Amino acid sequence: MRATLIQLRVDDTEDAAARRRRAADLVRARAGDDLVVLPEGWAAGAWNHATWPRDAEPLDGPTARAMSGAARDAAVWLHAGTIVERAPDGTLYNTALVFGPDGGLRAHYRKIHRYGFDTGEAALMGAGERVVTVPTGSGPIGLATCYDLRFPELFRALLDAGARFLVVPAAWPAGRLEHLRLFVRTRAVEEQCFVLACVAVGEHGGVRQAGHSMVVDPWGTVLAEAGEDEEVLTAVIDPSEVDRIRSELPVLRDRVLGIAAPRR
């Protein structure tokens, strides 16, 4: 399986339409890959809170149409990062889109854990409620986004849903880069899955992005890691490693479920 993370630069000098064209061209250039991934919120700007109402779009909006065409032209599975989705009832969501090699929208995932505490995403967006996996020829992909990395319960749910690969687009602040590295490797070891984290670079909304997109195997080994500039990062993944490592170190069979909290 050949997987590519497009570590896209997102800044305040380029509008959404221009970024869509550039991202589509970068995806089309990946013909021959199996899976291509883009970062979180790259079209609207994941930290440009003030412009979200203007740039929000439906699931079949301009970003989805551009990414559908690019996936079809390249004949790849495309995790197109996330958009600011405006649902039919007007609620905004941070929503991931996954397209098949035919350009069809195969899945969407509304981010469950919203960052910002009482501001930003947490205040302006609705919370997703569904755990989402996508069946592919290489195995099921589990979907999570950025801040979700801090919540292991979601990743256990994705594991239980059959995920063998975990794809995490992010717009992670540069000041917390070491947290990102720690969480990506931890989730890989914890779930004995491949984790592919695609992180934006540049600065928008006053927040500098961390970059350092990475592909980590189920043993926790970093197979590939990007730097701090826009970059196309490719890794060759052997899906059979999931079974080999789970067999070699069968910790998942020793899980004890339903542990009750002690009475106080």
Side-chain angles (χ1 to χ4, degrees):
M1 176 182 177
R2 185 176 173 88
T4 290
L5 310 181
I6 298 178
Q7 182 169 278
L8 199 66
R9 175 170 294 279
V10 181
D11 58 35
D12 295 325
T13 66
E14 187 178 36
D15 65 20
R19 269 199 295 271
R20 278 192 286 268
R21 291 192 294 271
R22 190 159 61 86
D25 287 343
L26 288 166
V27 172
R28 288 189 179 93
R30 302 314 306 172
D33 288 351
D34 299 294
L35 173 66
V36 178
V37 185
L38 289 165
E40 177 187 24
W42 57 270
W47 292 87
N48 285 337
H49 307 150
T51 65
W52 286 349
R54 181 196 70 197
D55 293 331
E57 53 186 300
L59 291 178
D60 59 354
T63 300
R65 293 194 297 271
M67 295 301 101
S68 170
R72 183 180 61 249
D73 291 346
V76 295
W77 281 93
L78 173 62
H79 188 310
T82 72
I83 63 169
V84 178
E85 178 202 356
R86 187 186 302 281
D89 67 0
T91 304
L92 301 184
Y93 294 97
N94 188 347
T95 302
L97 307 176
V98 180
F99 298 91
D102 62 354
L105 181 63
R106 301 294 182 86
H108 70 277
Y109 163 68
R110 289 171 170 169
K111 186 176 179 182
I112 292 173
H113 301 98
R114 300 159 299 161
Y115 181 73
F117 310 104
D118 297 320
T119 63
E121 189 179 52
L124 300 174
M125 288 184 163
E129 298 178 346
R130 292 192 307 118
V131 173
V132 179
T133 62
V134 188
T136 74
S138 300
I141 293 174
L143 306 185
T145 301
C146 200
Y147 188 48
D148 282 334
L149 278 167
R150 293 183 178 270
F151 300 90
E153 302 89 347
L154 172 59
F155 292 86
R156 278 285 140 114
L158 289 167
L159 172 72
D160 290 341
R164 298 169 68 83
F165 306 90
L166 301 167
V167 178
V168 187
W172 200 275
R176 295 192 284 275
L177 171 59
E178 291 308 314
H179 290 190
L180 172 69
R181 285 179 164 144
L182 173 64
F183 288 130
V184 172
R185 294 188 67 202
T186 297
R187 300 296 163 247
V189 172
E190 180 181 75
E191 316 310 337
Q192 296 185 315
C193 290
F194 285 95
V195 179
L196 298 85
C198 186
V199 189
V201 293
E203 181 174 325
H204 62 278
V207 179
R208 186 165 65 89
Q209 304 300 286
H212 289 273
S213 300
M214 64 187 78
V215 179
V216 180
D217 76 7
W219 194 252
T221 302
V222 178
L223 302 180
E225 181 174 348
E228 297 179 356
D229 296 318
E230 184 164 294
E231 184 174 341
V232 176
L233 182 72
T234 299
V236 177
I237 292 171
D238 179 359
S240 69
E241 282 292 279
V242 175
D243 290 328
R244 186 186 70 79
I245 289 170
R246 289 179 180 180
S247 175
E248 182 178 311
L249 191 67
V251 295
L252 294 175
R253 75 181 188 191
D254 290 336
R255 292 171 65 195
V256 179
L257 304 179
I259 299 174
R263 294 182 178 274
R264 294 184 180 276

